[in-house]
């Protein structure tokens, strides 16, 4: 079945450093979504990318969808302690299902 | 609006016991789903439903049953709990038949001894 792989699994940075997580699918995706889960919390939707090569920004967060629609990345510029959490990408392998990557856990040294 | 409500928040079971995790949403979403979250494994889809009376299996359905008698409710039943079912369970709903934005409940932390 379809797999969504995410790297790295863990990332520790100093506050103010940049952070990037990468997502790769074994199949072409109709869209890619990103979620954030704070420690002890539940996943919260951040953004959805639909078009090939699409780039979207949310303040310090930049999301990209690859040209082949099989990979994506999330980049955070100048991390803050509020960015701590686990970031998941997710894509539909077909209708009615959303498959999640393993997540990247971000910790920050203030 | 309450969004997606899950109960209980915590549960401890003995091996072989059965129980039902409750999930309700008040957003009139047709699509509802159950995920389990284990360390290093991300979120894995257990079962999902695209509307009342319709359910289907996800990636890891064994040992779990679901039913969808109303649009609002989507309970998850553990028939005979096993230690391998120790996990955090999330219910989620969507207005876009499962391919769009998911709204998650706060989760149920289940331990099976």
């Amino acid at each position: 079945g379809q797999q969504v792989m995410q790297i790295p699994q863990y990332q520790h940075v100093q506050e103010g450093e940049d952070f990037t997580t990468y997502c790769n699918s074994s199949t072409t995706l109709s869209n890619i979504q990103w979620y954030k889960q704070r420690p002890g919390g539940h996943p919260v939707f951040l953004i959805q990318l639909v078009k090939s090569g699409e780039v979207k920004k949310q303040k310090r967060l930049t999301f990209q969808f690859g040209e082949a629609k099989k990979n994506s990345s999330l980049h955070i510029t100048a991390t803050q302690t509020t960015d701590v959490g686990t970031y998941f990408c997710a894509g539909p392998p077909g209708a009615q299902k959303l498959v999640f990557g393993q997540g990247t856990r971000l910790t920050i040294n203030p | 609006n309450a969004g997606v409500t899950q109960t209980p928040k915590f549960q401890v079971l003995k091996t072989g016991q059965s129980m039902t995790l409750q999930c309700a949403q008040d957003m009139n979403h047709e699509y509802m789903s159950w995920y389990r979250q284990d360390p290093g494994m991300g979120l894995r889809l257990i079962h999902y439903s695209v509307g009342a009376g319709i359910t289907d299996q996800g990636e890891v359905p064994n040992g779990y049953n679901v039913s969808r008698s109303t649009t609002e409710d989507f309970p998850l039943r553990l028939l005979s709990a096993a230690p391998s079912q120790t996990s955090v369970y999330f219910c989620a709903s969507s207005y876009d038949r499962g391919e769009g934005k998911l709204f998650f409940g706060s989760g149920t932390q289940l331990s099976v001894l």
Side-chain angles (χ1 to χ4, degrees), chain A residues 2 9-10 30-31 33 35 37 40-45 48 86 88 92 94-103, chain B residues 31 35 37 39-43 45 48 50 56-59 90 96-107:
Chain A
Q2 187 239 5
Q9 191 172 358
Y10 302 98
S30 60
N31 73 79
Q33 300 172 33
Y35 291 78
Q37 184 178 25
H42 59 275
V44 175
F45 176 85
Q48 181 181 48
T86 301
F88 292 98
Q96 303 170 357
K97 295 181 184 180
L98 203 60
V99 175
F100 282 77
Q102 301 95 321
Chain B
Y31 183 89
Y35 287 86
Q37 184 175 28
M41 302 290 288
L43 293 147
L45 182 63
Y48 64 97
V50 298
D56 207 342
Q57 297 180 350
E59 304 168 77
F90 289 101
D96 195 14
R97 297 183 71 82
E99 296 174 40
K101 174 182 178 180
L102 286 178
F103 294 80
F104 282 85
S106 57

Side-chain angles (χ1 to χ4, degrees), chain A residues 42-93:
Chain A
H42 59 275
V44 175
F45 176 85
L46 292 176
I47 207 162
Q48 181 181 48
L49 305 172
V50 179
K51 299 177 183 177
S52 170
E54 188 171 12
V55 178
K56 286 189 176 180
K57 292 190 176 183
Q58 289 180 349
K59 297 183 180 178
R60 295 177 294 103
L61 279 61
T62 301
F63 304 84
Q64 293 187 341
F65 199 11
E67 294 290 340
K69 301 185 76 173
K70 295 178 71 173
N71 58 76
S72 181
S73 65
L74 158 59
H75 179 82
I76 302 178
T77 303
T79 54
Q80 300 175 0
T81 55
T82 53
D83 296 324
V84 163
T86 301
Y87 294 85
F88 292 98
C89 62

Side-chain angles (χ1 to χ4, degrees), chain B residues 27-47:
Chain B
M27 297 174 283
N28 203 30
H29 288 169
E30 290 294 329
Y31 183 89
M32 296 185 74
S33 55
W34 278 100
Y35 287 86
R36 60 176 288 174
Q37 184 175 28
D38 304 291
M41 302 290 288
L43 293 147
R44 292 183 291 168
L45 182 63
I46 305 172
H47 285 285

